[in-house]
Amino acid sequence: MTMEEFFGKVENKSNKRFKFDGSAHENPDEITIITGNVRRFKDGFVMPVGNNKLVYLKDWQVLPVYNHEEIGNAEAVKLNRKYFKTYTWKSEFEDFYFENEDTFDSLAELAKEQANQLTWRMGHFGDTYWQHDIDWLRW
């Protein structure tokens, strides 16, 4: 998978830094967003989208990124409308509050808002949380 296939339209690739438009994928039903809401769960990841709602993610859908000028560590998450399915958790999440539940469409709007705003680098957090291999992403 190339950077464009994961992130959408990529600009300003230099010294491993880049900007991207996560709403500009070839497939209009694919988006990539930046979030800090991803959590490790068993053999994969989950992303809360409501007070007790979440979306399960595969390892290849999540990449650590960072922008130390403004945000710090975050995750780039690639989503597809066809596979975007919310699940209800047994209780409300303690460390998240959502005024409204996120849907694929609301996250697609977020991807448009985030387009080319910040310069990112591929990240790593150096702990077992991010031990999945990201060598498959080709510059």
Side-chain angles (χ1 to χ4, degrees):
M1 180 178 292
T2 65
M3 285 195 61
E4 286 77 12
E5 289 169 333
F6 186 89
F7 287 103
K9 184 179 176 188
V10 177
E11 297 179 357
N12 298 338
K13 284 197 306 188
S14 66
N15 197 22
K16 303 273 184 182
R17 297 175 69 95
F18 59 96
K19 289 185 177 186
F20 73 97
D21 182 349
S23 64
H25 285 273
E26 285 185 22
N27 180 348
D29 287 336
E30 290 182 349
I31 59 172
T32 303
I33 62 167
I34 298 290
T35 183
N37 291 357
V38 174
R39 297 294 182 261
R40 186 68 140 149
F41 183 74
K42 295 187 180 183
D43 292 333
F45 296 94
V46 295
M47 181 177 70
V49 293
N51 292 321
N52 70 333
K53 304 284 185 181
L54 56 82
V55 173
Y56 286 95
L57 304 169
K58 302 287 187 184
D59 280 350
W60 62 266
Q61 289 179 275
V62 180
L63 285 176
V65 293
Y66 68 87
N67 169 288
H68 287 297
E69 291 82 18
E70 296 186 38
I71 298 211
N73 293 320
E75 296 86 35
V77 178
K78 182 172 177 147
L79 299 169
N80 184 302
R81 181 183 303 278
K82 182 177 176 182
Y83 301 106
F84 187 87
K85 183 173 180 189
T86 59
Y87 293 88
T88 302
W89 193 249
K90 56 188 169 192
S91 60
E92 290 194 0
F93 303 116
E94 294 178 13
D95 51 348
F96 296 100
Y97 171 76
F98 292 85
E99 196 169 305
N100 297 307
E101 182 179 330
D102 282 324
T103 63
F104 184 87
D105 291 326
S106 69
L107 293 174
E109 285 300 313
L110 176 64
K112 289 177 187 174
E113 291 171 20
Q114 291 178 342
N116 298 311
Q117 285 189 351
L118 297 174
T119 301
W120 296 95
R121 290 187 68 142
M122 297 306 294
H124 59 86
F125 299 125
D127 59 20
T128 56
Y129 183 83
W130 291 104
Q131 288 299 312
H132 69 289
D133 184 13
I134 61 170
D135 289 338
W136 53 264
L137 189 68
R138 294 188 310 273
W139 283 90

